[in-house]
């Protein structure tokens, strides 16, 4: 080990896209990722004299919550960032934030003119990803490990692990990945150990007008609900948390915030979820939008006024979903009053919502109904967004196309993903 690193910090940080949990008591959907992590840790323990934990991986996905201090510390102090590439990875805003937070280390290192290398990314292919789906920020990072052969490139680590016939290929790939993590990490300088604030970190995979086609579609999920410290008088606090996006109307049958369930559904529909508290001043989204409305928020005059202004605005049609748990002890007495307030405050959005998906605005009673209703609302919102989009290029300008470049045309050649650039992969040499 080099003399520069923090002896107590994890050697590597494993970044992966969490799979949605199907239901209470179900098998951990990320079981195979956990097994990979344990195997990497075992190898690194044997390859190094590192005093701290060999690796770190976060076992939960937080939506709008305070990110754990352990996670932020690990990102700030680890030697190597190990992202598991998969189609789900690059549409996950949480993975994009982890990548973006880690990238700030190198930028800070350069600004302070520190010696050595401050960060390193050693990707692994969990499941095959088409090159055109890779965000620009990752295209210069070698990930294919050509010496592992065609099976690794075809199936990824997940495929090799699942097929008994490829077990030796899987074990070879994991051992190789651990060796590369150590070889690269041995030269890393961790000059700062300031905790990374992930809730403020940039999403490195965020879609822009120039990258939307390659990074996936963005779905804004706005949550109009009170936080626990801003509840209307008499409202039970059990369904709320520190912010609006912690609202969980279906507890105790569902242990996860509604926004997290919605984000999982969005990713399953190949959207990149942009989860946020409802803000009528935020302006139009860069894609379709769905508003999750807790009718209890309408007892707050200021928030009711904001929702009314939103209803009267000329923003694109927005999908509206109104969860209403009939088993909530407060629901019987307040249902009629709050339903009337919703009709008075959002007459236009509710009228359109009835045309799009009547059950969504009538009151979605439980988690199972929400899982069925939300995809229908999302698809409707996307259709309305596409109707308003203007795909035609500006007058007088044609669509820019890719072109093949000659061998000597170095300056004009686009910087592609060096998938098989063995000669540039110096870290692969034994």
């Amino acid at each position: 080990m080099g003399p520069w690193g923090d002896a107590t910090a994890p050697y590597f940080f494993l970044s992966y896209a969490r799979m949605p949990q199907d239901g209470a008591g179900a098998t951990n959907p990320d079981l195979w990722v956990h097994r990979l992590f344990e195997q990497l840790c075992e190898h690194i323990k044997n390859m190094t004299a590192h005093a701290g934990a060999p690796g770190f991986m976060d076992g939960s996905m937080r939506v709008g919550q305070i990110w754990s201090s352990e996670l932020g510390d690990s990102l700030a102090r680890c030697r190597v960032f190990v992202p598991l590439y998969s189609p789900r990875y690059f549409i996950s805003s949480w993975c994009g934030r982890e990548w973006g937070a880690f990238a700030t280390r190198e930028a800070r290192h350069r600004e302070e003119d520190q010696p050595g290398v401050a960060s390193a990314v050693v990707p692994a292919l969990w499941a095959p990803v088409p090159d055109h789906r890779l965000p620009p920020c990752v295209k210069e990072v070698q990930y294919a490990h050509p010496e592992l052969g065609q099976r690794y490139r075809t199936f990824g680590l997940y495929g090799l692990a699942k097929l008994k016939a490829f077990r030796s290929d899987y074990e070879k790939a994991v051992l190789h990945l651990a060796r590369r993590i150590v070889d690269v990490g041995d030269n890393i300088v961790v000059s700062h150990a300031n905790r990374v604030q992930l809730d403020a970190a940039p999403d490195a995979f965020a879609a822009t007008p120039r990258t939307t086609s390659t990074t996936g579609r963005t779905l804004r999920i706005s949550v109009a609900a009170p936080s626990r410290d801003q509840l209307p008088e008499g409202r039970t606090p059990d369904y709320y948390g520190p912010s609006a996006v912690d609202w969980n109307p279906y507890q105790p049958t569902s242990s996860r915030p509604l926004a997290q369930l919605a984000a999982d559904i969005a990713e399953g529909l190949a959207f990149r979820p942009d989860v946020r508290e409802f803000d009528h001043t935020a302006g139009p989204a860069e894609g379709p939008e769905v508003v999750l409305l807790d009718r209890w928020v309408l007892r707050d005059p200021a928030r009711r006024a904001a929702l009314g202004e939103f209803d009267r605005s000329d923003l694109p049609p927005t999908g509206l979903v109104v969860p209403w748990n009939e088993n909530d002890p407060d629901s019987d007495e307040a249902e009629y009053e709050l339903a009337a307030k919703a009709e008075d405050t959002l007459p236009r959005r509710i009228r359109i919502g009835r045309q799009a998906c009547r059950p969504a605005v009538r009151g979605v009673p439980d988690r199972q109904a929400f899982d069925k209703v939300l995809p229908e609302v999302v698809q409707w919102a996307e259709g309305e967004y596409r109707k308003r989009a203007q795909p035609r290029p500006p007058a007088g300008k044609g669509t820019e196309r890719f072109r093949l470049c000659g061998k000597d045309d170095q300056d004009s050649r686009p910087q592609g993903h060096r998938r098989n650039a063995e000669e540039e992969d110096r870290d692969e040499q034994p």
Side-chain angles (χ1 to χ4, degrees):
M1 274 217 348
W4 298 98
D6 183 343
T8 65
Y11 206 94
F12 72 96
F13 183 104
L14 188 68
S15 176
Y16 67 102
R18 287 75 171 165
M19 291 287 290
Q21 184 79 39
D22 292 333
T27 303
N28 180 1
D30 296 315
L31 175 64
W32 290 96
V33 175
H34 282 265
R35 289 180 178 177
L36 169 66
F37 174 76
E38 292 169 359
Q39 291 166 330
L40 287 173
C41 287
E42 180 183 354
H43 289 321
I44 289 173
K45 280 182 182 178
N46 284 281
M47 293 177 180
T48 71
H50 186 58
F56 177 88
M57 69 175 290
D58 186 31
S60 62
M61 183 174 70
R62 297 170 177 81
V63 178
Q65 297 176 338
I66 298 173
W67 296 74
S68 73
S69 59
E70 186 182 11
L71 189 152
D73 287 342
S74 297
L75 265 176
R77 300 163 61 218
C78 72
R79 289 170 171 269
V80 181
F81 183 75
V82 181
L84 293 186
Y85 285 15
S86 69
R88 187 180 294 273
Y89 187 81
F90 295 110
I91 63 172
S92 169
S93 60
W94 324 117
C95 296
R97 287 185 181 185
E98 289 176 352
W99 187 298
F102 190 79
T104 62
R105 283 177 36 169
E106 179 62 29
R108 186 174 62 238
H109 191 80
R110 289 195 305 267
E111 289 175 359
E112 297 177 358
D113 197 23
Q114 296 288 331
V117 180
S119 61
V121 179
V122 177
L125 185 64
W126 184 245
V129 184
D131 280 354
H132 71 272
R133 296 296 302 274
L134 296 170
C137 66
V138 311
K139 288 190 174 181
E140 285 300 296
V141 182
Q142 169 63 252
Y143 80 96
H145 307 307
E147 72 283 359
L148 292 184
Q150 187 60 41
R151 285 177 178 173
Y152 172 79
R153 294 192 292 273
T154 301
F155 297 99
L157 288 169
Y158 175 75
L160 297 182
K162 293 290 286 185
L163 296 173
K164 291 183 179 180
F166 297 160
R167 184 51 54 89
S168 62
D169 297 274
Y170 172 76
E171 292 175 352
K172 174 185 176 182
V174 175
L175 184 63
H176 166 82
L177 180 60
R179 181 183 64 80
R180 187 174 184 195
I181 291 170
V182 172
D183 289 346
V184 173
D186 200 38
N187 299 309
I188 298 302
V189 176
V190 183
S191 57
H192 290 276
N194 297 330
R195 180 179 301 167
V196 173
Q197 299 297 327
L198 276 168
D199 53 350
D203 178 358
F205 308 151
T208 67
R210 298 180 66 182
T211 63
T212 300
S213 62
T214 59
T215 59
R217 304 163 295 170
T218 298
L219 174 70
R220 180 186 289 179
I221 301 171
S222 298
V223 185
S227 59
R228 185 177 292 156
D229 61 353
Q230 296 178 324
L231 294 178
E233 185 176 355
R235 177 62 174 138
T236 301
D238 298 345
Y239 302 90
Y240 302 92
S243 70
V245 296
D246 295 300
W247 173 43
N248 179 9
Y250 301 131
Q251 72 87 21
T253 58
S254 176
S255 61
R256 305 168 69 206
L258 191 70
Q260 192 173 109
L261 302 178
D264 285 348
I265 292 171
E267 290 186 356
L269 296 171
F271 284 96
R272 300 191 68 258
D274 173 17
V275 178
R276 59 177 67 190
E277 295 188 28
F278 173 80
D279 180 2
H280 71 291
T281 66
E286 293 182 353
E289 179 178 12
V290 172
V291 173
L292 308 179
L293 173 66
D294 178 9
R295 290 191 291 216
W296 287 97
V297 81
L298 297 172
R299 282 190 173 179
D300 182 328
R303 295 185 178 184
R304 186 177 176 187
L307 285 162
E309 187 174 338
F310 166 72
D311 188 69
R312 295 186 294 272
S313 70
D314 191 36
L315 293 173
T318 302
L320 181 64
V321 180
V322 184
W324 186 258
N325 184 353
E326 295 177 350
N327 294 319
D328 182 334
D330 299 336
S331 64
D332 286 342
E333 295 182 4
E335 183 173 11
Y336 179 80
E337 171 218 339
L338 294 179
K341 284 184 183 295
E343 291 281 356
D344 291 342
T345 306
L346 296 159
R348 176 168 168 257
R349 303 285 172 177
I350 289 178
R351 183 181 70 253
I352 295 174
R354 288 195 180 102
Q355 298 170 3
C357 180
R358 180 175 290 272
V361 296
R362 184 173 56 202
V364 184
D366 53 42
R367 160 78 185 276
Q368 290 71 30
F370 182 79
D371 289 346
K372 293 179 181 178
V373 162
L374 185 62
E376 185 175 343
V377 175
V378 170
Q379 291 167 6
W380 174 85
E382 183 186 26
E384 294 299 312
Y385 178 80
R386 288 181 179 275
K387 289 178 184 178
R388 289 211 172 193
Q390 297 181 4
R392 293 189 301 271
K397 295 185 67 176
T399 303
E400 185 177 353
R401 299 186 179 185
F402 292 107
R403 65 185 181 87
L404 295 175
C405 300
K407 180 178 179 181
D408 298 326
D409 193 8
Q410 298 292 334
D411 294 335
S412 60
R413 180 166 51 202
Q415 295 183 354
H417 196 70
R418 299 197 300 267
R419 188 179 180 114
N420 296 311
E422 298 172 273
E423 71 281 1
E424 296 179 5
D425 192 9
R426 292 189 296 272
D427 294 320
E428 294 295 336
Q429 301 303 320

